[in-house]
Amino acid sequence: MIQNVYCVGRNYRLHAAELGNDVPDEPMIFLKPSHAVARLAGQTLELPQNKGEVHYEGELVLRVRRSYEPGIKVDDLVGQMALGIDFTLRDVQTGIKKKGHPWTAAKGFKNAAPISEFIDFPGVEAAEGEDFTVRQNGKEVQRGNIKEMIFPLQEIVDYIGANYGLGEGDVIFTGTPAGVGPCAAGDTFELYWGDRLLGSCVIG
């Protein structure tokens, strides 16, 4: 059962640049409600279509298998991984950022955090050997590798664990690479770990 849903913002330099955002000095963490989680199992995901542009942000997702303790290694803390999409109401986000308001309205709606099937986490070193990709309507739109992260996985789990806590069942969306963009009803998404298809959906 999924508990807390942590998300890391601006963790790839090219993504920060494409949105005109500064690169943070420390991990930028926000939360999504657990009710935002859905499965990426080929089904239709209903998303808000009346609040401006909906953007996709493909990400590697970690699943924590035990409570965080200072000094614990990622390979010991994380049991499984998946791919997910951080769906974002971009126009809403732009408006609330200008007002200095929380991001929940733009990031926390139902189906805003769909996740593929979970597979065993192979360890950081092995995970660095694979790219993950997002295909929209059959075309690759995002490609990322954890080696390109501003804040590596160990720093992410240490930061979250020390400041907020991490326990069994928590998941972490680790940030999105460049290539985010709008989606519309009828679009299909496929998420690949290397050549392996882990999840897909149709936008409703």
Side-chain angles (χ1 to χ4, degrees), residues 55-85:
H55 280 207
Y56 61 84
E57 301 185 11
E59 311 198 8
L60 176 71
V61 180
L62 305 179
R63 188 172 192 171
V64 176
R65 66 180 173 188
R66 54 174 293 187
S67 295
Y68 175 84
E69 299 174 358
I72 193 171
K73 299 299 184 184
V74 173
D75 291 3
D76 297 321
L77 180 71
V78 174
Q80 294 179 306
M81 54 172 268
L83 298 175
I85 303 177

mmCIF file of all heavy atoms in Angstrom, residues 55-85:
data_model
loop_
_atom_site.group_PDB
_atom_site.id
_atom_site.type_symbol
_atom_site.label_atom_id
_atom_site.label_comp_id
_atom_site.label_asym_id
_atom_site.label_seq_id
_atom_site.Cartn_x
_atom_site.Cartn_y
_atom_site.Cartn_z
ATOM 1 N N HIS A 55 0.125 19.140 -18.502
ATOM 2 C CA HIS A 55 1.432 18.702 -18.957
ATOM 3 C C HIS A 55 1.806 17.363 -18.328
ATOM 4 O O HIS A 55 1.464 17.079 -17.182
ATOM 5 C CB HIS A 55 2.503 19.731 -18.598
ATOM 6 C CG HIS A 55 2.559 20.886 -19.540
ATOM 7 N ND1 HIS A 55 3.705 21.609 -19.766
ATOM 8 C CD2 HIS A 55 1.602 21.449 -20.323
ATOM 9 C CE1 HIS A 55 3.464 22.569 -20.651
ATOM 10 N NE2 HIS A 55 2.192 22.503 -20.996
ATOM 11 N N TYR A 56 2.518 16.548 -19.089
ATOM 12 C CA TYR A 56 3.083 15.296 -18.596
ATOM 13 C C TYR A 56 4.521 15.534 -18.152
ATOM 14 O O TYR A 56 5.234 16.365 -18.715
ATOM 15 C CB TYR A 56 3.052 14.222 -19.692
ATOM 16 C CG TYR A 56 3.865 14.610 -20.909
ATOM 17 C CD1 TYR A 56 5.249 14.389 -20.971
ATOM 18 C CD2 TYR A 56 3.266 15.248 -21.992
ATOM 19 C CE1 TYR A 56 5.997 14.776 -22.064
ATOM 20 C CE2 TYR A 56 4.001 15.642 -23.094
ATOM 21 C CZ TYR A 56 5.365 15.401 -23.119
ATOM 22 O OH TYR A 56 6.109 15.808 -24.199
ATOM 23 N N GLU A 57 4.956 14.811 -17.119
ATOM 24 C CA GLU A 57 6.339 14.837 -16.655
ATOM 25 C C GLU A 57 6.706 13.421 -16.233
ATOM 26 O O GLU A 57 6.338 12.965 -15.146
ATOM 27 C CB GLU A 57 6.516 15.814 -15.480
ATOM 28 C CG GLU A 57 6.136 17.259 -15.805
ATOM 29 C CD GLU A 57 6.431 18.223 -14.666
ATOM 30 O OE1 GLU A 57 7.121 17.811 -13.706
ATOM 31 O OE2 GLU A 57 5.977 19.374 -14.741
ATOM 32 N N GLY A 58 7.401 12.699 -17.081
ATOM 33 C CA GLY A 58 7.776 11.322 -16.785
ATOM 34 C C GLY A 58 8.917 11.248 -15.781
ATOM 35 O O GLY A 58 9.866 12.032 -15.857
ATOM 36 N N GLU A 59 8.831 10.276 -14.853
ATOM 37 C CA GLU A 59 9.823 10.217 -13.781
ATOM 38 C C GLU A 59 10.093 8.777 -13.330
ATOM 39 O O GLU A 59 9.220 7.916 -13.426
ATOM 40 C CB GLU A 59 9.337 11.030 -12.563
ATOM 41 C CG GLU A 59 8.843 12.414 -12.926
ATOM 42 C CD GLU A 59 8.765 13.370 -11.754
ATOM 43 O OE1 GLU A 59 9.237 13.006 -10.654
ATOM 44 O OE2 GLU A 59 8.246 14.472 -11.953
ATOM 45 N N LEU A 60 11.291 8.576 -12.791
ATOM 46 C CA LEU A 60 11.594 7.346 -12.066
ATOM 47 C C LEU A 60 10.995 7.454 -10.672
ATOM 48 O O LEU A 60 11.128 8.486 -10.011
ATOM 49 C CB LEU A 60 13.109 7.150 -11.959
ATOM 50 C CG LEU A 60 13.566 5.945 -11.135
ATOM 51 C CD1 LEU A 60 13.257 4.650 -11.861
ATOM 52 C CD2 LEU A 60 15.051 6.039 -10.810
ATOM 53 N N VAL A 61 10.339 6.391 -10.232
ATOM 54 C CA VAL A 61 9.674 6.377 -8.923
ATOM 55 C C VAL A 61 10.310 5.295 -8.051
ATOM 56 O O VAL A 61 10.461 4.144 -8.487
ATOM 57 C CB VAL A 61 8.162 6.107 -9.072
ATOM 58 C CG1 VAL A 61 7.482 6.103 -7.702
ATOM 59 C CG2 VAL A 61 7.521 7.153 -9.988
ATOM 60 N N LEU A 62 10.690 5.659 -6.844
ATOM 61 C CA LEU A 62 11.259 4.707 -5.887
ATOM 62 C C LEU A 62 10.215 4.322 -4.855
ATOM 63 O O LEU A 62 9.412 5.150 -4.433
ATOM 64 C CB LEU A 62 12.454 5.329 -5.159
ATOM 65 C CG LEU A 62 13.587 5.881 -6.014
ATOM 66 C CD1 LEU A 62 14.671 6.476 -5.112
ATOM 67 C CD2 LEU A 62 14.180 4.799 -6.914
ATOM 68 N N ARG A 63 10.260 3.065 -4.429
ATOM 69 C CA ARG A 63 9.356 2.597 -3.370
ATOM 70 C C ARG A 63 10.189 2.147 -2.170
ATOM 71 O O ARG A 63 11.048 1.267 -2.286
ATOM 72 C CB ARG A 63 8.480 1.442 -3.860
ATOM 73 C CG ARG A 63 7.395 1.047 -2.859
ATOM 74 C CD ARG A 63 6.449 0.050 -3.477
ATOM 75 N NE ARG A 63 5.250 -0.150 -2.672
ATOM 76 C CZ ARG A 63 4.194 -0.833 -3.069
ATOM 77 N NH1 ARG A 63 4.180 -1.385 -4.259
ATOM 78 N NH2 ARG A 63 3.154 -0.974 -2.288
ATOM 79 N N VAL A 64 9.937 2.759 -1.036
ATOM 80 C CA VAL A 64 10.711 2.508 0.183
ATOM 81 C C VAL A 64 10.215 1.234 0.863
ATOM 82 O O VAL A 64 9.010 1.009 0.962
ATOM 83 C CB VAL A 64 10.592 3.718 1.138
ATOM 84 C CG1 VAL A 64 11.309 3.455 2.447
ATOM 85 C CG2 VAL A 64 11.121 4.983 0.458
ATOM 86 N N ARG A 65 11.148 0.412 1.337
ATOM 87 C CA ARG A 65 10.770 -0.865 1.946
ATOM 88 C C ARG A 65 10.998 -0.933 3.454
ATOM 89 O O ARG A 65 10.589 -1.897 4.106
ATOM 90 C CB ARG A 65 11.537 -2.007 1.283
ATOM 91 C CG ARG A 65 13.040 -1.995 1.501
ATOM 92 C CD ARG A 65 13.675 -3.177 0.801
ATOM 93 N NE ARG A 65 15.131 -3.133 0.829
ATOM 94 C CZ ARG A 65 15.923 -3.974 0.161
ATOM 95 N NH1 ARG A 65 15.384 -4.927 -0.571
ATOM 96 N NH2 ARG A 65 17.232 -3.862 0.227
ATOM 97 N N ARG A 66 11.644 0.090 4.033
ATOM 98 C CA ARG A 66 11.906 0.087 5.463
ATOM 99 C C ARG A 66 12.070 1.521 5.942
ATOM 100 O O ARG A 66 12.203 2.443 5.140
ATOM 101 C CB ARG A 66 13.162 -0.721 5.802
ATOM 102 C CG ARG A 66 14.398 -0.299 5.038
ATOM 103 C CD ARG A 66 15.647 -1.011 5.494
ATOM 104 N NE ARG A 66 16.023 -0.621 6.850
ATOM 105 C CZ ARG A 66 17.161 -1.002 7.435
ATOM 106 N NH1 ARG A 66 18.004 -1.810 6.794
ATOM 107 N NH2 ARG A 66 17.447 -0.613 8.656
ATOM 108 N N SER A 67 12.033 1.709 7.237
ATOM 109 C CA SER A 67 12.155 3.054 7.788
ATOM 110 C C SER A 67 13.552 3.610 7.578
ATOM 111 O O SER A 67 14.555 2.895 7.678
ATOM 112 C CB SER A 67 11.824 3.042 9.291
ATOM 113 O OG SER A 67 10.475 2.698 9.510
ATOM 114 N N TYR A 68 13.592 4.889 7.298
ATOM 115 C CA TYR A 68 14.866 5.568 7.092
ATOM 116 C C TYR A 68 15.626 5.715 8.406
ATOM 117 O O TYR A 68 15.046 6.029 9.447
ATOM 118 C CB TYR A 68 14.635 6.952 6.492
ATOM 119 C CG TYR A 68 15.904 7.768 6.365
ATOM 120 C CD1 TYR A 68 16.748 7.608 5.270
ATOM 121 C CD2 TYR A 68 16.268 8.685 7.356
ATOM 122 C CE1 TYR A 68 17.915 8.343 5.159
ATOM 123 C CE2 TYR A 68 17.440 9.421 7.250
ATOM 124 C CZ TYR A 68 18.259 9.250 6.151
ATOM 125 O OH TYR A 68 19.418 9.971 6.045
ATOM 126 N N GLU A 69 16.925 5.487 8.328
ATOM 127 C CA GLU A 69 17.840 5.740 9.438
ATOM 128 C C GLU A 69 19.051 6.463 8.883
ATOM 129 O O GLU A 69 19.493 6.167 7.764
ATOM 130 C CB GLU A 69 18.281 4.425 10.092
ATOM 131 C CG GLU A 69 17.152 3.606 10.695
ATOM 132 C CD GLU A 69 17.628 2.244 11.193
ATOM 133 O OE1 GLU A 69 18.835 1.959 11.013
ATOM 134 O OE2 GLU A 69 16.820 1.498 11.739
ATOM 135 N N PRO A 70 19.605 7.426 9.616
ATOM 136 C CA PRO A 70 20.797 8.124 9.130
ATOM 137 C C PRO A 70 21.901 7.152 8.750
ATOM 138 O O PRO A 70 22.184 6.193 9.480
ATOM 139 C CB PRO A 70 21.204 9.006 10.315
ATOM 140 C CG PRO A 70 19.928 9.229 11.061
ATOM 141 C CD PRO A 70 19.151 7.950 10.927
ATOM 142 N N GLY A 71 22.483 7.370 7.582
ATOM 143 C CA GLY A 71 23.570 6.516 7.123
ATOM 144 C C GLY A 71 23.139 5.357 6.252
ATOM 145 O O GLY A 71 23.989 4.687 5.656
ATOM 146 N N ILE A 72 21.839 5.098 6.150
ATOM 147 C CA ILE A 72 21.380 3.978 5.336
ATOM 148 C C ILE A 72 21.608 4.281 3.860
ATOM 149 O O ILE A 72 21.475 5.425 3.418
ATOM 150 C CB ILE A 72 19.882 3.684 5.603
ATOM 151 C CG1 ILE A 72 19.490 2.331 5.005
ATOM 152 C CG2 ILE A 72 18.996 4.794 5.060
ATOM 153 C CD1 ILE A 72 18.102 1.874 5.410
ATOM 154 N N LYS A 73 21.978 3.268 3.099
ATOM 155 C CA LYS A 73 22.224 3.421 1.675
ATOM 156 C C LYS A 73 20.933 3.231 0.883
ATOM 157 O O LYS A 73 20.038 2.488 1.304
ATOM 158 C CB LYS A 73 23.278 2.424 1.194
ATOM 159 C CG LYS A 73 24.633 2.589 1.869
ATOM 160 C CD LYS A 73 25.232 3.962 1.593
ATOM 161 C CE LYS A 73 26.620 4.109 2.190
ATOM 162 N NZ LYS A 73 27.167 5.481 1.995
ATOM 163 N N VAL A 74 20.867 3.910 -0.258
ATOM 164 C CA VAL A 74 19.686 3.778 -1.121
ATOM 165 C C VAL A 74 19.403 2.316 -1.427
ATOM 166 O O VAL A 74 18.248 1.865 -1.400
ATOM 167 C CB VAL A 74 19.886 4.561 -2.436
ATOM 168 C CG1 VAL A 74 18.732 4.288 -3.402
ATOM 169 C CG2 VAL A 74 19.989 6.044 -2.164
ATOM 170 N N ASP A 75 20.438 1.555 -1.720
ATOM 171 C CA ASP A 75 20.253 0.153 -2.097
ATOM 172 C C ASP A 75 19.613 -0.668 -0.979
ATOM 173 O O ASP A 75 18.976 -1.690 -1.244
ATOM 174 C CB ASP A 75 21.594 -0.474 -2.484
ATOM 175 C CG ASP A 75 22.144 0.089 -3.792
ATOM 176 O OD1 ASP A 75 21.510 1.012 -4.359
ATOM 177 O OD2 ASP A 75 23.215 -0.372 -4.238
ATOM 178 N N ASP A 76 19.774 -0.236 0.261
ATOM 179 C CA ASP A 76 19.174 -0.938 1.392
ATOM 180 C C ASP A 76 17.794 -0.394 1.738
ATOM 181 O O ASP A 76 16.963 -1.104 2.307
ATOM 182 C CB ASP A 76 20.080 -0.833 2.629
ATOM 183 C CG ASP A 76 21.425 -1.500 2.424
ATOM 184 O OD1 ASP A 76 21.455 -2.568 1.783
ATOM 185 O OD2 ASP A 76 22.440 -0.939 2.884
ATOM 186 N N LEU A 77 17.548 0.865 1.406
ATOM 187 C CA LEU A 77 16.282 1.517 1.748
ATOM 188 C C LEU A 77 15.187 1.235 0.726
ATOM 189 O O LEU A 77 14.018 1.068 1.076
ATOM 190 C CB LEU A 77 16.500 3.028 1.846
ATOM 191 C CG LEU A 77 15.284 3.873 2.205
ATOM 192 C CD1 LEU A 77 14.906 3.660 3.670
ATOM 193 C CD2 LEU A 77 15.550 5.350 1.930
ATOM 194 N N VAL A 78 15.563 1.178 -0.542
ATOM 195 C CA VAL A 78 14.593 1.063 -1.639
ATOM 196 C C VAL A 78 14.489 -0.386 -2.088
ATOM 197 O O VAL A 78 15.499 -1.031 -2.393
ATOM 198 C CB VAL A 78 15.005 1.965 -2.823
ATOM 199 C CG1 VAL A 78 14.076 1.744 -4.013
ATOM 200 C CG2 VAL A 78 14.998 3.418 -2.395
ATOM 201 N N GLY A 79 13.267 -0.892 -2.129
ATOM 202 C CA GLY A 79 13.059 -2.265 -2.553
ATOM 203 C C GLY A 79 12.613 -2.400 -3.993
ATOM 204 O O GLY A 79 12.972 -3.359 -4.678
ATOM 205 N N GLN A 80 11.828 -1.431 -4.468
ATOM 206 C CA GLN A 80 11.278 -1.508 -5.818
ATOM 207 C C GLN A 80 11.325 -0.146 -6.483
ATOM 208 O O GLN A 80 11.502 0.882 -5.835
ATOM 209 C CB GLN A 80 9.828 -2.003 -5.779
ATOM 210 C CG GLN A 80 9.661 -3.434 -5.294
ATOM 211 C CD GLN A 80 8.199 -3.844 -5.265
ATOM 212 O OE1 GLN A 80 7.367 -3.182 -4.658
ATOM 213 N NE2 GLN A 80 7.875 -4.939 -5.943
ATOM 214 N N MET A 81 11.137 -0.163 -7.785
ATOM 215 C CA MET A 81 11.078 1.064 -8.558
ATOM 216 C C MET A 81 10.007 0.915 -9.622
ATOM 217 O O MET A 81 9.546 -0.189 -9.933
ATOM 218 C CB MET A 81 12.423 1.368 -9.215
ATOM 219 C CG MET A 81 12.961 0.232 -10.058
ATOM 220 S SD MET A 81 14.431 0.672 -10.999
ATOM 221 C CE MET A 81 13.666 1.213 -12.533
ATOM 222 N N ALA A 82 9.603 2.040 -10.168
ATOM 223 C CA ALA A 82 8.604 2.064 -11.236
ATOM 224 C C ALA A 82 8.848 3.325 -12.044
ATOM 225 O O ALA A 82 9.777 4.098 -11.776
ATOM 226 C CB ALA A 82 7.190 2.052 -10.647
ATOM 227 N N LEU A 83 8.007 3.539 -13.033
ATOM 228 C CA LEU A 83 7.982 4.798 -13.751
ATOM 229 C C LEU A 83 6.626 5.443 -13.518
ATOM 230 O O LEU A 83 5.621 4.748 -13.345
ATOM 231 C CB LEU A 83 8.234 4.589 -15.249
ATOM 232 C CG LEU A 83 9.593 3.992 -15.605
ATOM 233 C CD1 LEU A 83 9.684 3.727 -17.103
ATOM 234 C CD2 LEU A 83 10.728 4.927 -15.167
ATOM 235 N N GLY A 84 6.595 6.754 -13.488
ATOM 236 C CA GLY A 84 5.346 7.449 -13.240
ATOM 237 C C GLY A 84 5.265 8.729 -14.042
ATOM 238 O O GLY A 84 6.241 9.151 -14.676
ATOM 239 N N ILE A 85 4.099 9.330 -14.021
ATOM 240 C CA ILE A 85 3.901 10.622 -14.674
ATOM 241 C C ILE A 85 3.382 11.616 -13.631
ATOM 242 O O ILE A 85 2.382 11.350 -12.964
ATOM 243 C CB ILE A 85 2.900 10.541 -15.841
ATOM 244 C CG1 ILE A 85 3.338 9.506 -16.872
ATOM 245 C CG2 ILE A 85 2.750 11.920 -16.507
ATOM 246 C CD1 ILE A 85 2.361 9.325 -18.027
#
